[in-house]
Each structure stands twice: as C-alpha cells, then as structure tokens.
Amino acid sequence: MQMRKRVRLLTVSFLVATAMLAGCTSNSGQTPPTNGPAPEHAEQQEVPVKAELNAELTVALEAEATSLDPWNSTDSNTLHILSTMFEGLLTRNENGEVVPVLATDYQLNADATTLTFHLRKGILFHDGTVFDANVVKKNLDYVRNKENGMARASFFGFIKEVTVVDPYTITVTANVPNSAMVAYMAHPSASFKSQKELQKKIDDPKYNMDRNPVGTGPYQFHEWKNGQFVKVAAFDDYWDKEKPAKLAAILFKPVMEASTRVNMLKAGEVDIVTSLPTLDARMIGEDANLDVYSGPSLNMIYVGMNTKLDKYKDKRVRQAMNYAINKEQLISQVADGYGTAADSPLSPLVKGYAKQQSYLYNADKAKQLLTEAGYPDGFAATLWTRNSTEFVAIAENIKMQLQAVGIKVEVQAYESGTLFEMLDAGEGTDLYIGRWGAGTAEADWGMRPNFASDRIPPNYNNSGFYQNQQVDQLLNEALKATDNSMAQQKYAEAQKVIMDEAPWIFLYVPDVVIAKRKNVVDVGVTLDTVRLHAAYKQ
C-alpha cells in the first residue's frame, strides 16, 4: 500500500503545492497571495533576524554539476547552483506565479506573437559590465543559433526575432502564435550572461563557458574543483540592495552515495541535502537539530525506450511493459511512499495536466500482450541509469519486475553527465531511466521535448525517438491557441494519445524531500529547485 507522509517542519513553512521551503519572509521580496492552505503538519514560528556574519553554507548534491552555463545544462541537480549566480527577465515566485526580475514589467500581445519587456536599470554583471537591451538581444541570438551548439538551443526555437526598441526595452517575436512564451522566458535557462564573457566564446570557439559563469545574481562564481565542490561567493555590487547575499559563500558538494549525504548532514559537515533518501526522512525529522520538507514535485520518473528498435515498434510491447510494473510496490519499496503513481506524462502540478487511464499492474495482461506481439518468451534489454543510489535502486526494481514477464534486463549505471551525453548522442540507446521536470510548469515543455518528432537526437531530449503526427499536431495547435480552454483541451488530447502509445513506462511523480540544519533559515524551493538567495545561518 502506498504511504503518504508529511514530516515535521518548524523553522520553515510550506506554502502551496508548487513546492516551497521558505522562512517567514518571502524570497521574492514581496508577499504573494497563498492559493491554498498549508499542510496540517507545516508549522510556522518566528525566526530571529540575527544572521551569522561571514558564514559559509554547504549543500550536498546528488551528483556533480554538468555545466555552469544555463544554456548548456539540462539537469535539475545543477540548477541549485545556477540559481545563485544567474537571473532572467522573469522567474516564478513561491506560489509558482510569473514575476519580473531583470525586467520591470512585460506585455504579451493579443495574438501571442510578441512579448515586450521593459528592463531594469542599474544592473551590473559580476565582471562589472552593464545589463541592457543589447545584452539581452546578443544572448538570445547566440543561444538560439543551433550552430553554436548550446544544449538549450531548441528551448529558444520559438523565437523568430529579438528587437531592441531602446536601451531598456526589448521585444521577442515568435515564429508562430505561442501561448507559452511567458512561461518559457521565466524558465531558469532563460538567464543572461555578460556580453564580455559571451564575446570570449565568439572570438574563441574553444573557450569554455561551462566553467566561467558570469551572471547578475547575488552570488558570483569562485571555484570549481572536480569531484569536490563548486564554490560561489557573495557579490557586493548586487543590484537589489534590499536583498543582498546574506552568506559569505556557498559550497555545493557532489555526494552520490545517499547514506553519506545523510551522515554528513547529521554530523554537521553539510547544512542542506537537496535529495534526501526517503528511507531516512522520518528518522531525520525527529532530530532536534534538523528540519525536513517533503511535498509534490514537477518531476516524472519513467523508463524511456528506443522506439526505433524492432522489439519496441509494436505498441502492445510498450503497453505490456507498463502493465508489468507494479508502481505502488516500486513507490513503497524504493521511494518509501514518497511519490504518486503516474496517470499522465505530466505531474499534476503542471498547468495543462489531465488525468488519464493509468496502467494498473497486471502481469497476466503483460504476458498476453507480449505473446500477441510475437514475444511469448520475452526478450533481452539493456537498461541505462545514473549511478546514484536512488536511480540504481529504481533500475534494479524495474529489472526484477520485467524479468517476471520474461524480459531479461541488464542494468548499466553511468555518471549522470556521461549518461546525458549518451542519450543526447542517440547511439546504442535501448531502455533508460529518466527524470523529467517541466521547468516552465506548463504542459508544452512537459511534453514537447520528449514526444515531438522534431526533438529526436542528436542533441535533443526525445531520446526514445518517438514520432507521432497526431501528437505533433495537438502540441502545435495547443501552442498557437490564444484561448486558454482550447489550449488545455489540446494538451489533454495529446496526453491521452501518449498514454495509449506508451513510449515510456510511466512510473511515478516523486516527492521533493529536502533536509537542512535548523540554524539555516529562509531557504526556498521553487519548481523543485532549492533557492538560497535569502538564506542565512543563525
């Protein structure tokens, strides 16, 4: 039976279902409206305002950063680091609402073809250069040019033209009507870097922007030691004088072994664990020195499959594999109940989510479908996964369950960066464990990168090479729809087709489970990313 738990929160508060872990003050500097009640176990208490001067905060991540370039990083783990250094024109606050950051305001025209921003003045990058409309244009023109090889190039593919109206006004024009433009521009990858830094890359294509991040955030890059840490330090000239960095520095340490992260937190060697092993959450929640947060996420855990391979071309095989997995058992045994079985390709928190008929566990049905498709004895498969504790555990559980219906699986675990490179290359892919988060919190980015025919590898996220003209049409019609109800109807239809076609084994929506030491306050979690802009130590 699936268990649902909410662990104790004392110096933090859970605001709404978009996943917040904040202190008594808002990270956005304003008091946004709360759209729903806090869970019954989420208590609030006054937080002393005295901060420890010159304090350093240490955060344990589940893996090494892949890139410190927001245009070249696609994993959620790295976003914890990037969010301290980079900012965009827009972001989402603790309620998941879009709010201006480097822009003061924005206007989307009536037919959803142009988006105009008025920019904030007096902003400096970490290298002392000025932020203005010309910088925005240079950034957007560079990242969306596929010849520059940025991993996020396709994300900005909706842009037809970027026009400088005046030094602090800019207009983004879409190729076609695009109702998701605002959400796309609020995504963390729509962050801006110094024109001086960008010019270095233009002048020398071998220059490594992955290792030289220069943004406008409250913290600036200090050092990256492979396998040890990434360090950021307070930026004294941060533009928002009302919300300066309250820490001298933050160290982000990759700690792949889950039990090690827990032990380091208990011993005080780290202050925050961004991916807390679920089995330890209840125990840690009883520790007087620690706080634990759990809540629903935007993520989807799934098994992708290379639909170009003969064994996966028949959808009955793909459906059989969905019936073969007992999702409730997987959630209970591997995630300790911190998750919800998938009934859509999207998390319920994503705007446009529509519940579908899920694949309930039925081993006999799975065997029947395999036999009808010509595989009465099953077949052999290779399952790629990240080499973190949690992902290997998921893979081993999937292996065991597929074995029961005759599918013999070999698990191969790789460092996360290596795995992403393999999937992006699109060579040798069979089965793979994926975790996809709709960072825009809306349906287009939740489905298009994974299921659109024009997003197959190399260098795109549709690593299963899934192609379906009906899905393509529905996604495109939804994106062009300026009527919200029509857009949501199209997204719902697309989810229905995808669930029936089963290009993934739809597993579960994991909960966010994060722990911190009690003397660390004002930590935010927005769209599954830990936000440390306002954090400090007592």
Side-chain angles (χ1 to χ4, degrees):
M1 180 177 178
Q2 182 182 345
M3 298 174 288
R4 299 288 296 164
K5 297 183 280 292
R6 295 290 181 201
V7 287
R8 183 183 55 156
L9 298 173
L10 295 177
T11 61
V12 296
S13 62
F14 176 57
L15 299 181
V16 296
T18 45
M20 317 301 148
L21 175 68
C24 292
T25 59
S26 164
N27 284 355
S28 65
Q30 55 190 342
T31 306
T34 300
N35 294 335
E40 58 181 343
H41 298 305
E43 305 171 18
Q44 296 188 40
Q45 68 178 32
E46 292 300 318
V47 178
V49 295
K50 184 176 180 181
E52 180 185 336
L53 299 178
N54 299 317
E56 287 193 357
L57 190 73
T58 303
V59 181
L61 304 177
E62 64 178 341
E64 179 91 7
T66 56
S67 165
L68 295 185
D69 183 343
W71 304 342
N72 225 22
S73 173
T74 59
D75 66 301
S76 57
N77 183 68
T78 305
L79 280 179
H80 304 305
I81 308 174
L82 294 176
S83 68
T84 66
M85 297 184 288
F86 287 98
E87 296 173 315
L89 301 176
L90 309 172
T91 191
R92 289 185 182 269
N93 65 14
E94 291 89 342
N95 280 347
E97 301 163 335
V98 173
V99 294
V101 183
L102 299 183
T104 57
D105 58 62
Y106 62 94
Q107 296 87 36
L108 180 67
N109 70 346
D111 62 359
T113 56
T114 65
L115 183 57
T116 299
F117 296 96
H118 297 98
L119 308 183
R120 203 176 295 276
K121 299 178 181 179
I123 295 176
L124 295 178
F125 285 94
H126 300 150
D127 59 6
T129 57
V130 175
F131 170 81
D132 60 16
N134 186 59
V135 172
V136 173
K137 176 176 172 57
K138 294 284 188 181
N139 272 245
L140 293 177
D141 284 350
Y142 186 90
V143 65
R144 67 192 178 92
N145 185 343
K146 295 181 180 180
E147 293 183 0
N148 292 325
M150 296 290 100
R152 289 290 191 180
S154 64
F155 183 89
F156 297 93
F158 69 90
I159 298 176
K160 177 183 179 181
E161 185 180 14
V162 181
T163 305
V164 174
V165 179
D166 62 46
Y168 289 94
T169 306
I170 195 143
T171 296
V172 176
T173 302
N175 294 304
V176 296
N178 188 315
S179 59
M181 263 203 294
V182 172
Y184 271 52
M185 293 304 295
H187 189 274
S189 64
S191 295
F192 295 90
K193 62 185 65 173
S194 151
Q195 177 59 31
K196 180 179 178 181
E197 186 67 17
L198 184 57
Q199 192 62 46
K200 293 178 183 178
K201 182 68 172 178
I202 294 171
D203 293 341
D204 179 9
K206 294 183 180 179
Y207 182 72
N208 191 352
M209 289 196 296
D210 292 339
R211 294 276 175 159
N212 294 280
V214 181
T216 62
Y219 292 90
Q220 61 183 327
F221 177 67
H222 185 270
E223 185 178 12
W224 183 351
K225 284 194 174 183
N226 288 344
Q228 298 182 49
F229 62 81
V230 172
K231 182 176 182 179
V232 300
F235 178 48
D236 293 336
D237 290 327
Y238 183 55
W239 61 270
D240 192 341
K241 301 306 179 184
E242 295 182 0
K243 295 183 289 182
K246 297 178 183 178
L247 297 161
I250 306 173
L251 270 71
F252 295 90
K253 291 187 175 183
V255 185
M256 289 182 291
E257 180 59 44
S259 61
T260 303
R261 292 198 296 273
V262 171
N263 291 334
M264 292 175 73
L265 180 69
K266 293 167 64 177
E269 297 174 28
V270 300
D271 300 292
I272 298 174
V273 172
T274 62
S275 182
L276 182 69
T278 53
L279 286 172
D280 296 290
R282 191 186 307 172
M283 175 267 295
I284 287 180
E286 298 303 318
D287 190 317
N289 297 312
L290 305 175
D291 288 326
V292 177
Y293 159 82
S294 71
S297 76
L298 291 165
N299 289 324
M300 175 65 65
I301 303 292
Y302 65 94
V303 177
M305 61 191 83
N306 184 350
T307 57
K308 290 198 307 181
L309 299 179
D310 287 342
K311 57 189 173 184
Y312 304 126
K313 286 183 177 178
D314 190 324
K315 80 172 182 180
R316 290 175 295 185
V317 171
R318 306 192 298 265
Q319 291 174 336
M321 296 171 74
N322 272 276
Y323 284 117
I325 304 301
N326 186 330
K327 284 83 171 177
E328 299 293 351
Q329 182 225 58
L330 175 67
I331 294 167
S332 177
Q333 293 188 2
V334 175
D336 196 39
Y338 287 88
T340 305
D343 54 16
S344 163
L346 303 176
S347 160
L349 295 185
V350 175
K351 181 182 179 181
Y353 156 85
K355 182 177 181 179
Q356 304 298 317
Q357 180 65 48
S358 58
Y359 290 90
L360 299 179
Y361 173 62
N362 189 330
D364 291 336
K365 178 74 170 178
K367 292 176 182 178
Q368 175 190 337
L369 287 169
L370 285 172
T371 299
E372 291 175 2
Y375 295 95
D377 300 319
F379 50 82
T382 300
L383 176 61
W384 291 348
T385 187
R386 307 179 202 189
N387 61 354
S388 68
T389 308
E390 298 91 333
F391 275 86
V392 171
I394 294 170
E396 291 295 339
N397 186 284
I398 297 298
K399 173 184 176 178
M400 175 189 68
Q401 297 207 53
L402 289 179
Q403 178 73 36
V405 298
I407 300 174
K408 296 167 281 295
V409 174
E410 177 190 356
V411 173
Q412 295 180 356
Y414 299 92
E415 187 273 328
S416 57
T418 300
L419 177 59
F420 298 150
E421 290 175 1
M422 293 165 61
L423 291 172
D424 287 347
E427 298 176 358
T429 309
D430 188 343
L431 299 176
Y432 57 96
I433 302 285
R435 177 178 64 193
W436 181 256
T440 61
E442 50 75 47
D444 189 74
W445 191 244
M447 290 187 284
R448 185 176 299 275
N450 298 298
F451 305 114
S453 298
D454 62 354
R455 301 304 173 95
I456 61 175
N459 302 320
Y460 291 107
N461 287 101
N462 185 353
S463 300
F465 296 88
Y466 176 68
Q467 294 179 291
N468 183 290
Q469 290 184 354
Q470 185 181 5
V471 170
D472 294 340
Q473 181 178 348
L474 288 167
L475 292 179
N476 291 335
E477 289 176 350
L479 197 60
K480 294 176 182 178
T482 55
D483 178 76
N484 183 65
S485 62
M486 178 60 69
Q488 302 312 310
Q489 177 185 330
K490 297 295 183 181
Y491 285 132
E493 291 177 27
Q495 290 166 71
K496 182 177 181 179
V497 174
I498 292 169
M499 286 293 285
D500 178 66
E501 284 274 292
W504 286 355
I505 303 177
F506 305 96
L507 298 178
Y508 65 97
V509 176
D511 284 356
V512 178
V513 187
I514 292 167
K516 69 175 186 63
R517 297 197 65 80
K518 196 174 292 294
N519 68 322
V520 179
V521 295
D522 280 8
V523 177
V525 182
T526 307
L527 303 184
D528 305 342
T529 301
V530 174
R531 306 288 184 172
L532 300 172
H533 294 63
Y536 64 94
K537 283 185 173 181
Q538 292 178 329

